[in-house]
Amino acid sequence: MSKLRKLNKAIKIFLNYFLGPVLFIWIIYSIYQQIADQPNLIPALQHMLGAFSAPGAWKLWVALLLMPINWALETCKWHLLVNREYPFSFQQAAKSVLSGISLSLNTPNRIGEYGGRILYLAPEYRLKGVLLTMISSVSQLLITLYVGLLAVFILQEELLAAYASLQGGASWFWFAFVLTAVFTIALSALYFRIQWLVQWLRKIPFLKEKFAHTPAVADLPIHISMVLLGYSLLRFVVFAMQYVFIWQALGVGIAWQDALAGIADVFFIMTVVPTNALVELGLRGKVAIGVMGFFTANAAAILTGTISVWMLNLIVPALLGALLMLTIKGFKT
């Protein structure tokens, strides 16, 4: 018994004094390394700083103020889901969301967000927390897909023109459109019937016992699912408006409706392309320039705006989440 106690004590010491700081250093280093490797970052920041002295500088401040609103809406979604399980304050939900952003940086399609969020949950609720995070993510994904499909339909003439150089380009375009639409409808059915997923997980031998007591997740009311979609739509609008405000402040002459349709297409394309948060910036910039190139030739401003929104909505929250890793309760239990 004494050896077991010593082992437990050693594990607790490691969790208390080493794991948190190690994760903090790893996240900070990862952020620094990826920022340093961005060839267009310095010119973009210089371009952005210069815009603060231009007549439309107020739009940059609006975009900056939209950042906490963006993540407050995501926190509302997470708080709504978890608070149904057990008392969970909005402050805890905010910390959980920020920690999830930090741990999502180096993982494909930000899957590390699951691990970051559940660290703030009681151990017996952490498996449920994975499902709840999935529900929150799917609600955002559905909004991105539906709005993206609408934007693709609106911009079909421009996109078909881009496909014209490919053999059978129009056929491939409509095939991809229909396939994505079918997937979106199927995902919607699963979202509103999450108990199907839970029942399937219960059939897996090593998960059967763990998912035997998840009625609250399986019986998620329809009105809660709709509220989550509402928050997700608001987040989408806030995120899109950040792009519009920044691009307009940088002198991109583009109509609001065209900008919003183009941004929806950029989000849509980035959603269906597997990547991770830190290496997606280069791809996001190329996609933004390609799509918005239908409306403007100001590629420098498009790229600067894309980098700026990436910094505001990912890097800044990730730094805050990294700091929280030093004090997270999960490392002290």
Side-chain angles (χ1 to χ4, degrees):
M1 284 297 293
S2 59
K3 290 184 178 180
L4 181 59
R5 289 177 179 175
K6 288 181 180 179
L7 178 61
N8 287 336
K9 185 177 180 180
I11 292 174
K12 289 180 180 179
I13 291 174
F14 174 75
L15 293 174
N16 284 338
Y17 299 106
F18 292 98
L19 187 55
V22 165
L23 278 175
F24 171 79
I25 294 171
W26 171 68
I27 292 170
I28 295 298
Y29 176 75
S30 296
I31 293 173
Y32 167 77
Q33 188 178 42
Q34 294 299 326
I35 288 178
D37 290 341
Q38 298 298 331
N40 299 308
L41 182 62
I42 300 302
L45 292 178
Q46 291 173 340
H47 191 180
M48 178 62 64
L49 291 174
F52 275 99
S53 58
W58 65 270
K59 295 179 180 180
L60 296 178
W61 291 108
V62 172
L64 181 63
L65 292 173
L66 287 174
M67 180 192 68
I69 295 176
N70 177 21
W71 290 111
L73 289 169
E74 181 60 29
T75 301
C76 287
K77 290 167 57 181
W78 184 236
H79 180 256
L80 176 64
L81 285 168
V82 178
N83 204 42
R84 295 181 66 252
E85 298 289 320
Y86 71 98
F88 196 65
S89 70
F90 189 84
Q91 183 180 14
Q92 286 177 303
K95 291 179 178 179
S96 180
V97 167
L98 291 174
S99 296
I101 298 169
S102 292
L103 290 183
S104 72
L105 291 179
N106 278 330
T107 55
N109 283 15
R110 304 183 186 179
I111 196 172
E113 183 178 359
Y114 291 76
R117 290 199 180 192
I118 65 174
L119 286 174
Y120 278 88
L121 302 180
E124 63 271 21
Y125 288 102
R126 287 177 179 170
L127 191 58
K128 287 184 181 181
V130 173
L131 280 175
L132 295 177
T133 304
M134 184 184 301
I135 293 170
S136 179
S137 298
V138 170
S139 69
Q140 197 68 53
L141 174 60
L142 283 174
I143 293 297
T144 302
L145 290 173
Y146 276 115
V147 178
L149 286 170
L150 177 61
V152 168
F153 187 77
I154 292 172
L155 299 178
Q156 59 178 294
E157 291 185 8
E158 290 84 355
L159 293 171
L160 282 171
Y163 273 78
S165 60
L166 301 176
Q167 184 177 4
S171 299
W172 280 111
F173 172 83
W174 287 114
F175 173 76
F177 181 87
V178 172
L179 184 64
T180 306
V182 170
F183 170 78
T184 303
I185 294 171
L187 186 63
S188 300
L190 180 61
Y191 173 73
F192 285 105
R193 290 292 182 267
I194 194 65
Q195 63 267 29
W196 294 348
L197 175 62
V198 174
Q199 290 171 3
W200 180 78
L201 291 172
R202 286 172 179 165
K203 294 179 180 179
I204 301 176
F206 67 93
L207 292 178
K208 182 177 181 179
E209 183 179 349
K210 295 181 181 296
F211 282 94
H213 306 290
T214 55
V217 174
D219 300 329
L220 191 69
I222 295 295
H223 75 274
I224 296 293
S225 300
M226 294 301 297
V227 170
L228 291 174
L229 288 175
Y231 279 132
S232 297
L233 180 59
L234 287 174
R235 275 200 72 205
F236 188 96
V237 172
V238 168
F239 204 33
M241 293 307 298
Q242 283 182 298
Y243 276 93
V244 174
F245 277 120
I246 291 177
W247 281 341
Q248 288 191 347
L250 293 172
V252 177
I254 183 172
W256 283 75
Q257 63 273 19
D258 292 336
L260 291 175
I263 293 165
D265 272 340
V266 172
F267 293 169
F268 178 76
I269 294 170
M270 290 303 302
T271 297
V272 299
V273 175
T275 181
N276 68 60
L278 284 174
V279 301
E280 74 176 18
L281 179 58
L283 179 59
R284 184 183 293 271
K286 292 179 181 178
V287 172
I289 291 173
V291 173
M292 303 311 295
F294 295 135
F295 311 106
T296 178
N298 195 344
I302 294 297
L303 182 59
T304 296
T306 302
I307 292 174
S308 300
V309 174
W310 179 77
M311 293 284 292
L312 280 178
N313 290 290
L314 184 63
I315 298 303
V316 173
L319 289 172
L320 294 175
L323 290 173
L324 291 172
M325 290 293 173
L326 297 173
T327 59
I328 194 168
K329 187 178 181 180
F331 294 138
K332 299 179 181 179
T333 59

